[in-house]
């Protein structure tokens, strides 16, 4: 936030108190700051598990200012086309317990292989699906085409 005077001139050295009034688990990098030479005071809000956060900036003698932040769910993309010879998209991000569905969309034979015991059949049509129950980064390939690579990123 910026503190200015009646002439719209920045005011340095003004104490600003920051507080989270809504938003469980959130934290501020600092709860007290002084405006700099440009009249700017800052804090950094780190989100926790809540969806909505309201942060107030208080300067003695001035109306309180409120800021609102809304947390969005991680992007979810759970369909991948198995083409000749690439995965599209080659990177997906999803939440824990979501499932990725691969659909064969080319004419050649391919597979989706994460590792031993974690692979689709080698096929030229059809689908393969896998549910991801733990966060992490899971790389896979088609063992017939080493350049076919993909990754599934699972977040909480
Ligand atoms: Cu392949």
């Amino acid at each position: 936030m910026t503190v200015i005077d009646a002439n719209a001139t920045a005011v340095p050295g003004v104490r600003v108190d920051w507080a989270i009034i809504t938003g469980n688990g959130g934290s501020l990098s600092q709860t007290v700051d002084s405006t700099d030479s440009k009249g700017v005071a800052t804090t950094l809000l780190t989100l926790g598990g809540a969806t909505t956060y309201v942060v107030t900036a208080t300067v003695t003698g001035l109306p309180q200012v409120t800021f609102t932040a809304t947390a969005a769910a991680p992007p979810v993309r759970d369909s991948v086309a198995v083409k000749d010879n690439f995965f599209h998209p080659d990177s997906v991000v999803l939440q824990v317990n979501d499932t990725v569905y691969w659909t064969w969309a080319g004419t050649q034979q391919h597979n989706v292989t994460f590792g031993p015991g974690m692979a689709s059949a080698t096929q030229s049509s059809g689908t393969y699906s896998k549910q991801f129950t733990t966060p992490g980064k899971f790389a896979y390939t088609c063992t017939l085409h080493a350049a076919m690579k993909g990754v599934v990123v699972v977040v909480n």
Side-chain angles (χ1 to χ4, degrees):
M1 69 171 291
T2 304
V3 177
I4 55 175
D5 65 17
N7 299 317
T9 302
V11 183
V14 175
R15 176 186 167 128
V16 178
D17 288 279
W18 297 96
I20 299 175
I21 59 168
T22 300
N24 287 337
S27 62
L28 295 172
S29 60
Q30 56 185 358
T31 55
V32 179
D33 193 20
S34 285
T35 56
D36 63 14
S37 61
K38 293 175 178 160
V40 176
T42 61
T43 190
L44 184 66
L45 169 65
T46 299
L47 305 187
T51 299
T52 301
Y53 295 81
V54 178
V55 174
T56 57
T58 305
V59 175
T60 302
L62 294 176
Q64 193 172 62
V65 178
T66 62
F67 299 88
T68 302
T70 303
V76 173
R77 177 86 183 256
D78 58 8
S79 296
V80 176
V82 181
K83 300 195 169 182
D84 304 325
N85 291 324
F86 59 96
F87 297 106
H88 182 75
D90 61 4
S91 172
V92 293
V93 178
L94 66 156
Q95 296 172 61
V96 168
N97 293 326
D98 202 352
T99 300
V100 178
Y101 296 85
W102 286 266
T103 301
W104 272 247
T107 58
Q108 299 178 35
Q109 298 232 314
H110 302 288
N111 58 60
V112 171
T113 301
F114 287 89
M118 206 171 139
S120 73
T122 295
Q123 54 194 23
S124 59
S125 64
T127 61
Y128 172 64
S129 65
K130 174 156 183 53
Q131 185 182 29
F132 291 84
T133 56
T134 55
K137 200 171 176 181
F138 304 91
Y140 62 92
T141 187
C142 167
T143 58
L144 303 182
H145 305 102
M148 288 180 71
K149 295 179 192 298
V151 65
V152 175
V153 178
V154 183
V155 298
N156 278 310

